Amino acid sequence: MSLFKTVPPNIVQSIRAFRVNELQQEAAHLEQHFLYAYCAEAVTKQQVLSTIASAFHFPRHFGKNFDALHDCLTDLTHKAGKQIGFVVVLEQLPNTQKFDKEARETLLDVFRDAADYWAEKKVPFRVFYSFQ
């Protein structure tokens, strides 16, 4: 039985009861890409984006802004060939003055837009996140 039987294929949601290692195992079982970024050390928007860029192996010229993040989550991975799906984990997103609720929501909106992009292509793109 799939861990994702109650999780829609294109969604951005809190990690809640899921464990990272279970999500990674399910991605492997489904032969989907597993992207993981541990953001607890980040304090600012730039640091969060840098952490994600490094963890997801974005190109060196990544612009460290939300538009560049969207481009990397859609255009660049699309050019990598046939995609069978993605399981993305953003763990411990900061809750700081320099990365406040508005910045977190904007970040998650970028991932929601990417989920919509992949849904149009019928490619699963599940994102799980947690806050500090």
Side-chain angles (χ1 to χ4, degrees):
M1 178 167 46
S2 174
L3 183 66
F4 294 147
K5 76 176 192 171
T6 60
V7 180
N10 297 82
I11 191 165
V12 176
Q13 71 173 44
S14 172
I15 201 166
R16 289 185 229 140
F18 293 106
R19 290 187 172 84
V20 174
N21 64 330
E22 293 171 339
L23 294 170
Q24 185 176 19
Q25 289 171 359
E26 186 66 10
H29 173 74
L30 297 172
E31 298 180 343
Q32 295 182 0
H33 303 281
F34 181 75
L35 303 172
Y36 174 80
Y38 183 74
C39 300
E41 303 298 319
V43 176
T44 67
K45 170 185 155 185
Q46 296 294 74
Q47 291 171 340
V48 169
L49 291 172
S50 182
T51 298
I52 292 169
S54 176
F56 293 3
H57 304 288
F58 288 166
R60 294 184 126 191
H61 65 271
F62 174 68
K64 293 188 183 100
N65 60 60
F66 292 128
D67 290 335
L69 176 62
H70 181 271
D71 290 347
C72 285
L73 292 173
T74 56
D75 296 341
L76 296 178
T77 53
H78 180 64
K79 294 176 184 175
K82 182 173 175 7
Q83 302 300 330
I84 52 175
F86 300 87
V87 176
V88 179
V89 176
L90 305 170
E91 191 172 24
Q92 297 293 306
L93 291 170
N95 181 13
T96 66
Q97 206 170 26
K98 294 183 179 182
F99 197 76
D100 59 7
K101 182 178 180 179
E102 183 178 329
R104 287 190 309 274
E105 278 306 309
T106 302
L107 175 75
L108 295 176
D109 283 344
V110 171
F111 279 91
R112 288 181 188 106
D113 288 346
D116 291 344
Y117 170 87
W118 288 109
E120 290 175 11
K121 299 188 175 318
K122 306 218 182 313
V123 173
F125 186 89
R126 293 176 178 95
V127 179
F128 300 88
Y129 64 86
S130 67
F131 297 132
Q132 289 179 347

